């Protein structure tokens, strides 16, 4: 049994073929898509965060709106770039959104990927500490965020406050109990997966990973998951961790599916560089008739090791088409793999 969610990058562009012509389009359609996903029986609605781009950016208004329109589906991110975040303000936003959603948030956070502008986090007012690079700054912000989600008071109250305070040091409000256990770290390396386990975060492994062995993506991800779970056990955490992997999966059910995804040019992993030095392996897409997909996905070691699969969706094709893709996976692929 696996949880199945969708992951939207939230692209929009004023191009004739796009169903999301504007930021308003993609935000409103994201809400509608989450409602449809819940109706179909999907387990999660997840959204990517990119700054300075025609994509989804500030996640918490969207997460709160989805939480208000749905009842059961998990609502999350994959991922929020912590280089850009003020951990204190983020803790307030996250607490509020989680309360609106009645404790359904599953927040994926990370150091983030290369962005549209050079050191964009500087425009958000952030600076590196001495001897720190931007990845270390992102992890520092994450550690502060995790500490704040613990709910421990840290701020000395005013002796003559405007409103009455509870006794002792004050924490940030609103506070949502349990959210700390629903934080995930988006990891592109084995080392950061181990770091996430030590800090008690769940693991998100995407369709991209630093190439650390030359093996196919799914094999490297399976090794990453094993390293994460070993580190989790060694850290002595009392709860069971969760692990997700992201995949592009498209059952070919009709001529429209075949026109969109019937080619085979994306049927193998790709090797590329996400900056001048970091060699990465990019996961293949899976597009075939359902019986073929089942046999292909059965061989994916990382999917077998994970408890959650996030389906990356082509959001610019609109709500109706993406609901069709999700319904096809739930009806024709998931049962054959024992996901349902």
């Amino acid at each position: 049994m696996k949880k199945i969610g969708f992951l939207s990058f939230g692209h929009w562009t004023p191009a004739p073929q796009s169903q999301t012509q504007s930021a308003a389009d993609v935000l409103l359609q994201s809400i509608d898509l989450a409602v449809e996903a819940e109706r179909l029986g999907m387990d999660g609605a997840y959204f990517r965060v990119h700054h300075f781009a025609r994509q989804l950016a500030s996640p918490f208004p969207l997460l709160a709106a989805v939480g208000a329109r749905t009842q059961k589906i998990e609502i999350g991110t994959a991922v929020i770039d912590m280089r850009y975040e003020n951990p204190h303000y983020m803790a307030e936003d996250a607490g509020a959104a989680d309360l609106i959603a009645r404790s359904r948030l599953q927040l994926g956070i990370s150091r983030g990927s290369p962005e549209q502008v050079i050191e964009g986090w500087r425009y958000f007012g952030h600076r590196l500490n001495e001897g720190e690079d931007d990845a270390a700054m992102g992890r520092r912000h994450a550690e502060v965020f995790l500490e704040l989600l613990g709910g421990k008071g840290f701020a000395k109250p005013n002796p003559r406050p405007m409103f009455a305070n509870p006794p002792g040091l004050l924490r940030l409000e609103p506070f949502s109990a349990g959210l700390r256990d629903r934080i995930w770290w988006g990891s592109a390396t084995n080392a950061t997966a181990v770091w996430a386990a030590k800090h008690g975060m769940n693991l998100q492994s995407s369709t991209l990973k630093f190439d650390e062995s030359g093996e196919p993506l799914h094999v490297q991800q399976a090794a990453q998951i094993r390293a994460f779970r070993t580190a989790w056990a060694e850290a002595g955490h009392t709860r069971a961790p969760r692990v997700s992997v992201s995949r592009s999966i498209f059952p070919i059910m009709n001529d429209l599916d075949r026109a969109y995804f019937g080619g085979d040019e994306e049927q193998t992993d790709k090797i590329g560089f996400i900056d001048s030095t970091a060699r990465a392996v990019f996961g293949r897409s899976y597009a075939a008739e359902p019986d073929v997909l089942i046999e292909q996905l059965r061989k994916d070691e990382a999917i077998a090791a994970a408890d959650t699969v996030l389906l990356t969706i082509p959001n610019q094709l609109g709500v109706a088409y993406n609901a069709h893709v999700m319904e096809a996976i739930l009806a024709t692929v998931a049962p054959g793999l024992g996901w349902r």
Side-chain angles (χ1 to χ4, degrees):
M1 187 72 170
K2 291 193 188 296
K3 290 184 179 292
I4 308 172
F6 74 80
L7 171 57
S8 173
F9 279 51
H11 293 285
W12 63 272
T13 179
Q17 68 273 19
S18 175
Q19 297 294 311
T20 51
Q21 297 273 312
S22 67
D25 286 344
V26 77
L27 286 164
L28 294 171
Q29 288 188 30
S30 294
I31 299 168
D32 291 342
L33 187 58
V35 171
E36 276 295 287
E38 181 172 82
R39 181 187 67 80
L40 291 169
M42 295 282 284
D43 300 298
Y46 287 74
F47 304 96
R48 185 69 166 90
V49 179
H50 271 125
H51 301 288
F52 298 103
R54 289 178 173 179
Q55 294 177 240
L56 296 170
S58 56
F60 291 106
L62 174 60
L63 295 173
V66 172
R69 287 279 307 278
T70 57
Q71 299 296 321
K72 299 182 297 183
I73 195 168
E74 293 181 344
I75 307 162
T77 52
V79 293
I80 299 173
D81 188 336
M82 293 304 293
R83 295 174 298 176
Y84 285 76
E85 293 298 322
N86 176 321
H88 291 73
Y89 199 84
M90 181 178 175
E92 292 183 343
D93 278 350
D98 195 43
L99 292 172
I100 290 171
R102 295 169 297 283
S103 300
R104 287 182 285 131
L105 253 58
Q106 302 283 343
L107 289 181
I109 64 176
S110 188
R111 169 260 191 211
S113 60
E115 293 294 303
Q116 298 296 103
V117 301
I118 297 170
E119 296 183 341
W121 38 270
R122 292 188 182 275
Y123 296 99
F124 282 55
H126 300 298
R127 297 290 181 267
L128 303 179
N129 288 342
E130 185 175 355
E132 189 178 53
D133 62 12
D134 65 330
M137 179 183 67
R139 289 190 291 272
R140 170 167 55 85
H141 288 177
E143 289 172 343
V144 174
F145 178 61
L146 294 174
E147 182 70 20
L148 294 169
L149 291 185
K152 183 179 179 180
F154 62 92
K156 185 177 181 179
N158 188 330
R160 289 186 291 274
M162 182 178 296
F163 308 106
N165 286 321
L169 299 177
L170 301 183
R171 67 186 182 189
L172 291 174
E173 301 289 356
F175 173 73
S176 185
L179 179 57
R180 172 62 178 82
D181 290 342
R182 288 178 273 116
I183 306 301
W184 306 58
W185 185 259
S187 175
T189 67
N190 290 6
T192 53
V194 169
W195 178 85
K198 291 178 179 178
H199 284 78
M201 288 184 282
N202 304 304
L203 177 66
Q204 289 181 338
S205 195
S206 185
T207 52
L208 175 155
K209 185 183 178 297
F210 285 14
D211 187 7
E212 298 183 89
S213 70
E215 296 171 295
L217 173 70
H218 74 101
V219 176
Q220 294 198 46
Q221 283 183 317
Q224 181 191 45
I225 293 168
R226 288 192 295 272
F228 168 80
R229 289 198 167 122
T230 297
W232 185 278
E234 291 174 349
H237 303 304
T238 56
R239 67 178 178 86
R242 289 183 60 184
V243 175
S244 73
V245 294
S246 301
R247 291 292 184 268
S248 299
I249 302 172
F250 301 102
I252 304 300
M253 306 294 291
N254 56 39
D255 289 341
L256 184 59
D257 298 332
R258 190 167 290 105
Y260 281 143
F261 302 108
D264 62 358
E265 65 274 7
E266 298 292 334
Q267 298 292 303
T268 58
D269 291 345
K270 306 294 182 185
I271 297 295
F273 290 84
I274 60 174
D275 58 33
S276 59
T277 59
R279 175 184 163 98
V281 55
F282 298 80
R284 56 167 292 183
S285 294
Y286 290 93
E289 284 71 21
D291 57 337
V292 176
L293 277 182
I294 290 169
E295 293 309 309
Q296 291 176 338
L297 293 168
R298 203 186 303 277
K299 300 173 184 176
D300 191 307
E301 295 180 18
I303 289 180
D307 60 77
T308 300
V309 179
L310 300 184
L311 307 171
T312 61
I313 61 165
N315 74 277
Q316 289 188 92
L317 295 181
V319 173
Y321 183 76
N322 282 292
H324 156 73
V325 171
M326 291 187 287
E327 186 171 26
I329 291 171
L330 290 173
T332 69
V333 176
L337 290 165
W339 296 357
R340 282 291 186 269

